[in-house]
Amino acid sequence: MENAKKKFNWRRLGISAIVLYIVFLIGPIAGLDIPAIVETVKANPIQLVQYLIIGISNGAIIAIIALGYTMVYGIIELINFAHGDVYMIGVFTSLTVLSLTGTLESKDPTKIVLGLVLALIVSIVVCAVLNASIERLAYKRLRNAPRLAPLISAIGMSFIIENIGLIWAAQAWLVPSFGTTGGASQKVFPDMLGILFTSLGWNVNLLATSGLPLRFTIKDLLVIILAVALMVGLYLFVQRTRLGKAMRATAQNRDAAKMLGIDIDWVITATFLIGGGLAGAAGLMAGLYNGTAWWFMGFRAGLQSFTAAVLGGIGNITGAMLGGFLIGLLASFSDGYLNARWTNAWVFATLVLILLFRPSGLLGENTGQKA
Amino acid sequence: MNKRLLALLSVLVIASMALAACGTPAATEAPATDATEAPATDATEAPASVESMGVLKIVSSLPMTGSSLTQTQTIVNAMQLRLEQVDYKVCGGSYDIEYEAWDDASAALGQWDPAVETENANKAAADPSIIAYLGTFNSGAAKLSIPILNQAGPLAMISPANTNPGLTKADKDLPGVTDSYYPTGVRSYARVVAADDIQGKVAANFVKSLGATTVYILDDQQLYGKGVADVFEATAAEIGLTVVGHEGIDPKAADYKALMTKISTSNNGAAPDAIYVGMVVDSNAAQLLKDKVAILGDNETVKFVGPDGIQTQAFIDGAGADAAAGAYASVAGVPFAELPATGQQFVADYEAKYGPLTEPYSVYGYETMSVAIRAIEDVCAAGGDPTDRAAINSAVFAIQNFDGALGNWSFDANGDTSLTDMTFYVVKDGAYEAVGTFK
């Protein structure tokens, strides 16, 4: 026992040394100049609030995508690498719906609202079906194969979907603003919420009347409201419904759940449907929020969301939300107070630290919530 | 079971390959030459006339997966157009030319990929029928392939688009770096475009002439982007333009709102007069501009100026005509309307075959192929062997008073062009429009 205690201390020492090294030696290179940051915050405290707003809005989108990762991992212990790309398809689907319904050219508030609602529904349905089809096509047969096989298959699906996005972005007959420059370049996702608000005669910035130099736009508000609503809805679904219960049972022990008469295939399909639907909703939100549709956007979004899921404790729904918001905030503060060049380094360094201290993630112990 | 798994995996692999092929431009699949197999030509060679001496292969290595495709596709088209003009034959018909457009980008990166570019260079070095390597588009890619090709003959490398000064000229901050690119001591890399020691300097003067006194510099941390931004910064200090900050960005970030919020108070609580971006369109330049307009206001309030990497329609398509309106970009050379007769003819021919042409680099692609053809012809005319890489390379460097589509110019000993014109363009009604030419 004494031996074990000694070993434990060594480990703590090693970890502390790594932390000190990162903070005091690498930190200053990466812009971690604490007195200067304190000065900046003191000089302009309002800006801190602005970074919070940006961080939370970005985090909301990451969190929703992270839910898809974490649910799938919870059920079949597979990292669905194609998930970020399903989200990208969501962006293109909603943009195409907005274009085909004539919403993009419209200035009529009712039409814009109807168009956006339709785009949200279609995007959720398309992404849900796509995600479930990916499972049927690429993962189902590999369910009992070594873990590496479905992972490679997932990466393959990711490339296939990226190429679909590449072809889609070249179809100017669907969306005229795609132009003639081919599918590889970034495309505009028009700011429909801004147009809607202007047509109603309201200010896009909800804090304009407060006189503070802050921007809290309708886009930020909608992204946050939608994200929280989807997360709470999902949480209640998993906790309260029959299917949610079946999902939790499958997550705990697939064979036992099967013996109790749970239709495992349907539960897994349902998980992929829900995860895909969330990615579809995130797609419309991200398109409206950042104004870009790009075949490559799913890759980075997927990486960040995956990190968020791991940070919160993979398989844990609340953890994924927390991880998403934390990463959004961290990136925003790093851009604002440190150096934009090092933002990714800070995000992933934090992940490394969390995993060193709590390998199961922030909320990873609470397996009861695993879905 | 294992067999079924294998079958499924192979189907997936084939499907992804097929889709990847659809996603890449048509030109890479169509080298547009009848001599598809070199061995076949060798076989028919023996009984044929003494004049037919074989196939010379020219390859280009440009990023054709990613936003730069808008620019590189026109370069490839222009190169093919030049070859069609000589009917893919040189030295009075004794040699056939075969051209292949290689892609140095990967889907995984969405832009040029160091691994792919290195592989391309090694592949070219290993194929003795290749006598010229046209590329690259990105300076960072050139840095990798120059030393490989330099030790392969040397195999002449001619770039239509690299502008980083350090590739050919010794940098005062990093002396000796340039020499390490040329292990054999013989120069084997030339470019038809003026370098960024000119572009960055002209850009700083241009920003000052717009009435700006303060500027914030952003770059994409690549050899090209950071290089031109550094020259801009150095010149700004000399001409009394205050640089408020210089930062590298993450070229794959979803948005830059937090960064723009920081810039909005970086000039003693106010926004700077201008933002200079050293980057290519692949580095998320359109997103950067969108967030800049959202936070800092339109391009009239805070000027947005960039180098040739963003002078492409893809940049405007990505940012939207409204957000992009008023953004400036510079490109070496003169606008199409001011090109000499050969250049005018090229634009007319190009538009007749491929439709409207706005991408400024197309004419550089044409000029690069012209240089390669001229070098081969020169070797033949001097009685040399055009399959000899070293002979072709010396012929490239010997080119003086070349009467091309860009004008009359010469290569110096470093392989740099004598042309130093720089044209600024501004986005107006969703397209770039020339505002003036500077030196």
Side-chain angles (χ1 to χ4, degrees):
Chain A
M1 192 169 160
E2 211 182 288
N3 212 353
K5 204 178 170 187
K6 204 174 175 186
K7 213 174 176 183
F8 179 68
N9 281 341
W10 274 112
R11 189 165 159 258
R12 293 291 287 208
L13 194 70
I15 292 172
S16 309
I18 294 172
V19 174
L20 288 175
Y21 179 73
I22 291 179
V23 173
F24 289 103
L25 282 169
I26 305 183
I29 301 171
L32 187 69
D33 180 357
I34 292 163
I37 294 171
V38 172
E39 277 307 304
T40 321
V41 176
K42 264 191 199 158
N44 195 347
I46 297 279
Q47 208 164 38
L48 185 73
V49 182
Q50 185 69 65
Y51 292 137
L52 265 173
I53 295 173
I54 295 170
I56 290 176
S57 306
N58 272 328
I61 297 172
I62 299 173
I64 295 184
I65 309 171
L67 288 177
Y69 273 103
T70 222
M71 284 176 70
V72 166
Y73 187 86
I75 295 274
I76 56 171
E77 295 183 358
L78 161 74
I79 295 159
N80 181 11
F81 265 109
H83 192 73
D85 300 294
V86 172
Y87 147 83
M88 177 271 292
I89 291 293
V91 180
F92 276 101
T93 310
S94 38
L95 182 55
T96 307
V97 171
L98 289 175
S99 167
L100 293 181
T101 53
T103 315
L104 293 184
E105 290 81 37
S106 173
K107 297 264 181 268
D108 175 20
T110 335
K111 205 174 170 199
I112 294 178
V113 171
L114 286 177
L116 285 175
V117 171
L118 185 70
L120 182 66
I121 295 169
V122 175
S123 175
I124 287 177
V125 171
V126 167
C127 290
V129 172
L130 176 66
N131 209 27
S133 321
I134 292 172
E135 194 270 327
R136 276 289 149 97
L137 189 73
Y139 308 149
K140 195 180 170 192
R141 283 158 181 275
L142 301 177
R143 217 174 270 165
N144 295 316
R147 273 188 164 190
L148 197 59
L151 195 70
I152 292 169
S153 166
I155 294 170
M157 288 314 293
S158 163
F159 283 143
I160 292 176
I161 299 172
E162 277 180 13
N163 277 288
I164 292 174
L166 204 53
I167 297 168
W168 196 331
Q171 310 306 318
W173 56 277
L174 284 174
V175 185
S177 65
F178 282 173
T180 54
T181 48
S185 54
Q186 295 177 326
K187 306 297 177 190
V188 186
F189 197 117
D191 178 13
M192 296 315 295
L193 290 173
I195 297 171
L196 174 68
F197 255 51
T198 320
S199 70
L200 288 169
W202 298 341
N203 196 318
V204 178
N205 184 359
L206 301 173
L207 294 178
T209 47
S210 70
L212 292 170
L214 275 179
R215 277 175 58 87
F216 183 68
T217 64
I218 179 68
K219 289 191 273 185
D220 296 295
L221 183 69
L222 197 85
V223 163
I224 295 169
I225 288 180
L226 205 60
V228 172
L230 285 171
M231 289 178 223
V232 172
L234 182 69
Y235 184 78
L236 291 177
F237 175 81
V238 172
Q239 292 300 320
R240 301 280 165 85
T241 63
R242 249 181 101 80
L243 183 57
K245 214 179 213 171
M247 285 162 85
R248 282 183 288 145
T250 312
Q252 277 183 8
N253 190 326
R254 205 189 297 164
D255 294 329
K258 210 171 186 173
M259 276 187 258
L260 290 170
I262 292 173
D263 183 353
I264 303 289
D265 285 343
W266 164 240
V267 168
I268 293 176
T269 304
T271 309
F272 273 86
L273 280 173
I274 295 169
L278 289 171
L284 175 66
M285 282 160 50
L288 291 171
Y289 186 62
N290 289 329
T292 299
W294 190 25
W295 65 278
F296 195 64
M297 66 195 295
F299 181 80
R300 170 55 66 87
L303 200 63
Q304 276 190 333
S305 309
F306 172 63
T307 310
V310 175
L311 189 62
I314 192 142
N316 183 308
I317 290 184
T318 326
M321 299 186 217
L322 183 69
F325 282 120
L326 280 180
I327 287 194
L329 285 173
L330 190 65
S332 164
F333 283 127
S334 169
D335 275 359
Y337 291 119
L338 305 174
N339 193 323
R341 174 178 320 197
W342 294 96
T343 296
N344 268 326
W346 283 115
V347 168
F348 293 111
T350 310
L351 177 74
V352 170
L353 289 183
I354 295 275
L355 289 180
L356 279 174
F357 285 110
R358 289 185 66 92
S360 53
L362 285 176
L363 303 179
E365 285 174 337
N366 198 348
T367 45
Q369 285 182 353
K370 202 166 133 184
Chain B
M1 185 64 197
N2 271 337
K3 269 189 181 169
R4 288 172 77 186
L5 270 182
L6 199 67
L8 178 71
L9 277 176
S10 14
V11 167
L12 280 176
V13 169
I14 292 165
S16 57
M17 279 173 162
L19 279 163
C22 295
T24 49
T28 47
E29 292 159 29
T33 158
D34 6 24
T36 41
E37 279 175 27
T41 2
D42 288 341
T44 51
E45 192 192 330
S49 69
V50 212
E51 296 300 319
S52 179
M53 297 171 69
V55 174
L56 302 173
K57 205 158 149 189
I58 298 175
V59 294
S60 64
S61 180
L62 304 161
M64 308 197 74
T65 309
S67 303
S68 290
L69 174 64
T70 312
Q71 290 160 304
T72 53
Q73 183 67 67
T74 63
I75 296 178
V76 169
N77 288 347
M79 286 178 175
Q80 286 177 342
L81 191 69
R82 183 72 187 91
L83 286 171
E84 279 160 26
Q85 288 171 353
V86 297
D87 200 23
Y88 289 91
K89 284 189 195 323
V90 282
C91 302
S94 349
Y95 288 92
D96 288 325
I97 292 191
E98 192 178 314
Y99 167 62
E100 276 177 24
W102 291 354
D103 186 356
D104 72 358
S106 69
L109 291 192
Q111 59 170 336
W112 78 272
D113 184 330
V116 183
E117 177 57 36
T118 311
E119 189 191 321
N120 281 356
N122 281 320
K123 209 159 76 180
D127 181 349
S129 65
I130 294 176
I131 46 98
Y133 188 90
L134 309 185
T136 58
F137 189 74
N138 307 78
S139 298
K143 185 180 160 183
L144 300 176
S145 33
I146 291 172
I148 298 173
L149 302 177
N150 187 254
Q151 295 171 84
L155 176 55
M157 174 169 173
I158 314 164
S159 169
N162 299 148
T163 53
N164 183 269
L167 295 174
T168 53
K169 300 172 209 190
D171 189 325
K172 63 178 188 309
D173 298 324
L174 295 164
V177 168
T178 306
D179 295 335
S180 71
Y181 296 162
Y182 305 97
T184 60
V186 179
R187 287 298 182 117
S188 60
Y189 168 83
R191 52 181 158 196
V192 296
V193 63
D196 288 341
D197 48 345
I198 298 160
Q199 177 160 241
K201 199 183 281 174
V202 173
N205 282 301
F206 178 77
V207 168
K208 200 184 176 195
S209 78
L210 290 174
T213 55
T214 50
V215 61
Y216 205 101
I217 304 173
L218 297 172
D219 69 58
D220 64 359
Q221 311 181 53
Q222 290 194 16
L223 184 65
Y224 159 75
K226 190 174 183 311
V228 69
D230 285 347
V231 176
F232 183 97
E233 187 176 0
T235 316
E238 284 167 22
I239 61 171
L241 190 61
T242 312
V243 176
V244 182
H246 182 170
E247 222 172 311
I249 64 154
D250 165 14
K252 295 273 186 297
D255 76 325
Y256 300 97
K257 293 189 183 75
L259 177 63
M260 287 303 165
T261 303
K262 175 163 79 178
I263 295 176
S264 72
T265 58
S266 61
N267 181 21
N268 294 324
D273 298 331
I275 292 180
Y276 186 77
V277 293
M279 60 181 65
V280 288
V281 67
D282 285 331
S283 300
N284 227 349
Q287 185 68 48
L288 193 72
L289 175 60
K290 257 182 279 192
D291 290 328
K292 180 252 155 199
V293 169
I295 309 276
L296 297 175
D298 63 27
N299 300 319
E300 198 55 50
T301 322
V302 177
K303 310 275 189 282
F304 189 91
V305 186
D308 51 326
I310 63 164
Q311 211 286 27
T312 163
Q313 190 60 36
F315 173 67
I316 303 172
D317 281 358
D322 294 336
Y328 293 98
S330 57
V331 181
V334 293
F336 285 161
E338 291 165 33
L339 286 174
T342 324
Q344 298 291 350
Q345 188 58 44
F346 156 73
V347 176
D349 291 347
Y350 187 102
E351 294 196 328
K353 185 156 186 211
Y354 299 104
L357 179 63
T358 53
E359 300 297 332
Y361 269 114
S362 53
V363 61
Y364 287 94
Y366 183 86
E367 197 79 334
T368 309
M369 188 58 89
S370 295
V371 166
I373 293 174
R374 165 75 177 269
I376 300 170
E377 294 286 4
D378 285 353
V379 169
C380 285
D385 175 9
T387 59
D388 177 5
R389 287 179 175 178
I392 299 284
N393 184 50
S394 333
V396 168
F397 278 81
I399 288 176
Q400 295 295 318
N401 294 320
F402 185 74
D403 216 0
L406 294 170
N408 192 295
W409 55 268
S410 310
F411 277 133
D412 67 13
N414 289 335
D416 276 311
T417 170
S418 57
L419 293 176
T420 57
D421 289 325
M422 205 53 73
T423 301
F424 271 88
Y425 295 81
V426 67
V427 179
K428 210 171 171 183
D429 300 327
Y432 273 110
E433 201 171 86
V435 285
T437 303
F438 304 81
K439 271 189 197 289

